[in-house]
Structure formats: structure tokens, C-alpha cells
Amino acid sequence: MALAISAAQARRFLVRRHLLAPPRALPADPDSVLTVARRFGSLQFDPLDAPGARNHELVLHARIAGYTRGWCERHLYGPPGARALIELWNKSLNIVPVEDLPAHQHAWSKARARHALGILSKRPAVAETILSQVRSSGETATRAMARAHAAAVDWYWAPTSEGRAVAEALFESGHLGIARREGNLRVFDLLDRLHPALPAALPPAEAERARLLTRHRAVGLLGAGGGAELFTGLGKSDVRARALGELVADGTLAPVTVEGLRGERYALSSERALLLGCAADVAPLRGVTLLAPLDPFVWDRALLRSLFGFDYRWEVYTPAHLRRFGYYALPLLWGDRLVGRVEPVRDRARRRVTVRGLWFEEGFDPLAAEGFVDDLADALEAWRRFVDADAVALPRTRVGRAVTAAMAR
């Protein structure tokens, strides 16, 4: 039988299990990166850094006191054989704990089969040359491969060089791994050289369950359906339904019904005590979090709408004239409420954070909400330190000037 909970209980549970109550509270230590990665199973990577850092760094900053850029990379790009995190495809390009590799090797196998019928069969000599080069010379940057094999091929969203396309196919198939990055430029090496003691792969059915579980670990109250992007790479709906049924049957996931939401959702059974504890816990939650656009907290956009009354769309790929908010607007979480959006941009030349836009939800008055302005000031100050700026400037709009004046009192 499903556990029935109130909407308020669900909101409080999600904020707590996402390590955001209060925000920026994990120890100021590089090992806190592993705490976050293991909680969610994956941190989504995106190369854009308009606000001063990339998506996965924003996720970590929101949870770790004094998060410093480079802490994650210690675990990603450390000495071969001693890396605790790895970049691979799971929903998108994600950073995942190495101990989860037994499940993800199944995805490598599927990619090998797919590319064996595509780019790797069409460009076998390029693939062999690249593997031979990396095998003999070690770390090799993508641009070197692209320069050596410059003929254009159709690839995903746009034509690219055959060298880059083949390298990406070899990476997706588990032949190559990312040794390090130079900015966003990938430098590849043989995967088994970077991770010489790869654990054995799980059997396919067990791997499907484990990979589905990573989505539930990330969201916290995920349903059987939802946006297609939530289940990218996990196979057809019947495969997912079978895996979900098995996870419920063996007690890994517990069905939950939430007041006002249609259908059942599922929580990790290991988080049942936290979920039940949120029923009686009514103490106000404080703290403002600037949420990354691909933070696990916002993966399930339908849940944000139905449970938090917050309609979020990342508009970075929306034409400017069609945007309602900013290019890189971030949701503002205050306690267990989503109260608005903010678009901070790091001005490197002037060493300051310029907030291009500050928008609040209808009915929310930032000046009348007790404690909000102070919490927002704390969050912006933490952001300033995070991106190594000297000052933060709010927009010279009516609301921006009002909040600036309130912070100065």
C-alpha cells in the first residue's frame, strides 16, 4: 500500500533530502563532492558558464560550504586508478561515482552496438588510427584528433570533423575516457588506463534496474512517467515498467501518494524515516539557494509545477525575443518555496557579479517576507566568493533597487 503524504510534507522532504535545508551546509572539504554525487547518482555536465561556473559546480556550491572550483576535478581527473568520479553518458553527459560503473557498462555495450552500425563502421580506419595514437602517445586532445581527421561528417546536431565524431563514439562506447579537460576541451586516454580495475558489469536486467534507480536517487519523488528527458537512455516504457516493479517488489523503492498530485510516486525506502519525520517537522526552513538549471532538484519540471506551483524553463536555447526571463535565469529557492528567478553573470573584466534580472513569483513580496532579504544577501555574498568577484550589483529595475535598498539597511 502506498504511503499518503501531504503536499507540505513532500516539499519539506524534497528540500531536506536534496541537502538544501539549509543550503551550503556540507563541510568545506573536497570529499563533500562525493557526498553529493553519491546521494544523487549523477551530476549533469554542461559546458556553459555564463554565471561564472558550470552546472555541476553550481550544484555543488548550493550544498557545500565554501565550495571551491577544482574540488570536483580532484576526484574526476586524479591519478589513474584513484579516481572516484567519471564522466559518461547517463541521461546526458553526467559525472557519476565510479562504484556505479557496473550498471553503466551496459550503456557502453549498447553504444558500441549502435556505433558499430554507424560512424565506427563508416570510418573504421579513423577509429583504429585514433586508438593506436592514444595507445602509443597517451593523453590526446579532441582538437588534435579533429585536425588529423578533418573531413566533415553529419553528427548529432550539426556536421563536425570525422576525428571528433569518431572520438565521441569511442568515448560513448567505453573505449576512451576523459583524462582531463582544458577548459571545456576534452583530453582523452584509454578508459582501461584511467580506470585499470574496472568492476565487472552487471547482467543486463540488473543494470537496467540500477540505472533507473539513479533517476529516482536524483529526483527523490519520481513517478513512473514524466518528461521524456527524465528517462533518456533507459529503454522503452515496458523495460522501465518492469524494472520499476522489481525495485518496488524488492523494497528498494516505496510507493507514495502526494496530496494534490495524480498517480503514485516513489521514494527510496532508505529515506522513509526522513519522509515520515517531515510530517511533524514544522519549524521554518531558512536560506536562499540559487539552483542550477540542471540541478537534480529541478529535473522533474512537472513536479515543480504541480507541487511547488513553479513553472521553470531554462531559456538558454530559446530565441531572445521569446524568452520570458533571462538567458541563464536560475530558480530561487527560499526554505521550501520557489519564489522567483535570478540571472547572475560574472563580469570577469570588472571582477563583479552583475545580476541582469530578478523576478519574483506573483503574490510573493520580497520586502514583506520576514528574513528573505537577509537570506538573499547571504546567498549572493556566498555566490560572490564562489566566482571570485569583488562585488554584486542588482539590476536597476524597480524591484532590484528596492531589494538593494533593503539590503543596505
Side-chain angles (χ1 to χ4, degrees):
M1 178 180 293
L3 175 66
I5 64 174
S6 70
Q9 184 179 354
R11 287 191 291 269
R12 184 168 291 256
F13 164 71
L14 286 173
V15 172
R16 289 198 180 282
R17 65 91 51 194
H18 275 272
L19 306 174
L20 296 171
R24 303 176 297 281
L26 290 178
D29 188 298
D31 283 347
S32 290
V33 171
L34 300 181
T35 300
V36 177
R38 288 166 176 159
R39 169 63 60 94
F40 302 128
S42 57
L43 304 175
Q44 201 159 338
F45 182 92
D46 187 86
L48 299 178
D49 66 350
R54 293 167 294 188
N55 179 79
H56 69 283
E57 296 168 314
L58 307 187
V59 172
L60 294 167
H61 161 73
R63 294 159 173 87
I64 301 172
Y67 176 75
T68 300
R69 298 186 72 178
W71 283 1
C72 183
E73 284 67 23
R74 292 190 196 183
H75 299 293
L76 264 176
Y77 311 133
R83 300 176 173 207
L85 300 174
I86 184 172
E87 291 183 58
L88 49 73
W89 282 94
N90 175 43
K91 177 180 181 290
S92 59
L93 185 56
N94 276 217
I95 297 165
V96 308
V98 166
E99 61 260 32
D100 288 354
L101 280 179
H104 294 295
Q105 290 182 63
H106 180 50
W108 287 336
S109 297
K110 292 199 296 186
R112 287 179 187 181
R114 184 175 73 254
H115 289 307
L117 299 175
I119 188 70
L120 296 184
S121 67
K122 296 176 181 177
R123 300 291 191 278
V126 175
E128 183 51 42
T129 300
I130 286 175
L131 286 173
S132 178
Q133 169 70 25
V134 175
R135 194 177 294 117
S136 62
S137 301
E139 297 181 2
T140 306
T142 308
R143 65 183 166 202
M145 300 174 185
R147 193 163 49 239
H149 308 280
V153 296
D154 289 332
W155 189 245
Y156 291 141
W157 298 281
T160 190
S161 70
E162 61 181 5
R164 177 182 175 185
V166 168
E168 289 187 356
L170 293 171
F171 166 67
E172 292 173 13
S173 303
H175 295 289
L176 297 179
I178 298 177
R180 56 188 170 85
R181 286 179 180 267
E182 297 173 355
N184 283 320
L185 177 70
R186 293 164 298 177
V187 178
F188 290 111
D189 203 344
L190 298 178
L191 182 71
D192 57 11
R193 194 148 58 197
L194 298 174
H195 298 275
L198 285 175
L202 292 175
E206 193 175 341
E208 294 289 359
R209 289 195 299 274
R211 295 184 69 228
L212 177 62
L213 184 59
T214 65
R215 311 302 164 91
H216 287 273
R217 286 164 61 189
V219 175
L221 276 178
L222 183 62
E229 70 280 0
L230 285 168
F231 302 104
T232 299
L234 294 185
K236 297 180 179 179
S237 58
D238 60 329
V239 174
R240 300 199 309 269
R242 182 176 64 249
L244 176 59
E246 292 169 353
L247 288 168
V248 173
D250 70 14
T252 302
L253 293 176
V256 177
T257 60
V258 182
E259 171 194 17
L261 273 60
R262 292 187 298 176
E264 287 184 338
R265 292 188 169 262
Y266 301 88
L268 300 178
S269 295
S270 59
E271 295 179 353
R272 181 181 176 87
L274 175 60
L275 179 58
L276 294 175
C278 289
D281 179 8
V282 294
L285 297 179
R286 290 290 299 272
V288 164
T289 307
L290 280 64
L291 289 169
L294 302 172
D295 192 294
F297 191 89
V298 303
W299 275 14
D300 190 343
R301 305 293 169 82
L303 182 61
L304 292 191
R305 288 192 296 271
S306 58
L307 185 59
F308 291 87
F310 189 79
D311 189 8
Y312 179 61
R313 180 182 181 185
W314 192 29
E315 297 182 312
V316 69
Y317 299 114
T318 302
H321 69 284
L322 296 177
R323 290 181 195 137
R324 295 178 58 205
F325 304 104
Y327 167 82
Y328 209 102
L330 309 177
L332 274 177
L333 178 71
W334 184 43
D336 58 358
R337 300 172 61 189
L338 286 162
V339 299
R341 296 163 178 78
V342 61
E343 186 183 19
V345 177
R346 183 171 185 262
D347 184 337
R348 288 174 172 80
R350 302 171 68 183
R351 287 188 56 81
R352 76 174 189 177
V353 176
T354 300
V355 178
R356 286 183 177 170
L358 185 61
W359 305 269
F360 293 105
E361 291 293 275
E362 185 176 352
F364 180 77
D365 183 345
L367 304 184
E370 183 178 356
F372 173 77
V373 169
D374 290 340
D375 288 348
L376 178 61
D378 288 345
L380 291 175
E381 172 60 16
W383 191 276
R384 181 194 68 75
R385 295 193 302 268
F386 168 49
V387 301
D388 192 27
D390 295 330
V392 177
L394 293 182
R396 297 185 61 79
T397 58
R398 180 183 60 80
V399 68
R401 290 195 298 270
V403 172
T404 299
M407 287 179 177
R409 291 178 191 145

